[in-house]
Amino acid sequence: MSSAPDLAALVRGAGLRVTRPRLAVLQAVHDRPHADTDAVIGATRDLLGEVSHQAVYDVLRALTGAGLIRRIQPAGSVARYEARVGDNHHHVVCRDCGAIADVDCAVGHTPCLVASEDHGFVIDEAEVVYWGRCTECRDLTAPTGPDRP
């Protein structure tokens, strides 16, 4: 685990006990933005050896609850985890392959980020998911041959 001391300080600073599974899961999420649970389990096992699915799920829940990682789940996707927390960034998702990338907050006129009615809530975050097709998926279906403009 390359940055274990920094990760240990993050875990300790969040009021959690520092354990090898917590450090390994946090390292896995830091190394693999938008990783699904299976990818986190695999990476954690690469770092620690055998670790149960339940242990990883428990650690993901604890780290998410402590604000050290963020759980996202775009429509039609499994839960994904990322270490970028503390800002209100958004995501773009490929409709074909499911690739996910971060998008900083919307710029310019953003009427949809201001709720027309707050229903008594104190709103502190807006979640926006942009949908489209990534470069690789577009390239796979791009026309080829002499008829291509």
Side-chain angles (χ1 to χ4, degrees):
M1 290 180 259
S2 60
S3 57
D6 295 333
L7 297 179
L10 286 173
V11 171
R12 206 173 288 110
L16 297 175
R17 192 167 51 93
V18 176
T19 64
R20 290 183 66 231
R22 285 182 178 156
L23 293 177
V25 169
L26 191 54
Q27 182 72 54
V29 173
H30 271 266
D31 291 347
R32 293 159 191 80
H34 311 120
D36 64 19
T37 307
D38 287 341
V40 173
I41 290 169
T44 301
R45 285 180 175 164
D46 288 346
L47 292 168
L48 290 182
E50 186 58 35
V51 62
S52 71
H53 282 72
Q54 190 60 51
V56 173
Y57 282 113
D58 291 345
V59 170
L60 287 169
R61 190 175 311 106
L63 296 176
T64 301
L68 295 176
I69 61 175
R70 180 178 174 193
R71 181 184 186 273
I72 63 168
Q73 190 167 6
S77 176
V78 297
R80 308 284 181 137
Y81 296 89
E82 64 181 349
R84 184 175 171 183
V85 296
D87 66 354
N88 192 22
H89 73 278
H90 309 298
H91 298 94
V92 60
V93 181
C94 179
R95 290 184 186 283
D96 293 342
C97 71
I100 301 173
D102 289 336
V103 176
D104 288 326
C105 280
V107 295
H109 185 63
T110 56
C112 291
L113 294 182
V114 178
S116 60
E117 172 61 47
D118 65 17
H119 299 280
F121 286 73
V122 175
I123 298 171
D124 61 9
E125 182 176 358
E127 184 174 320
V128 175
V129 178
Y130 299 96
W131 294 88
R133 295 180 72 222
C134 69
T135 304
E136 290 81 13
C137 290
R138 280 194 330 268
D139 289 348
L140 286 175
T141 60
T144 58
D147 295 337
R148 183 178 184 190

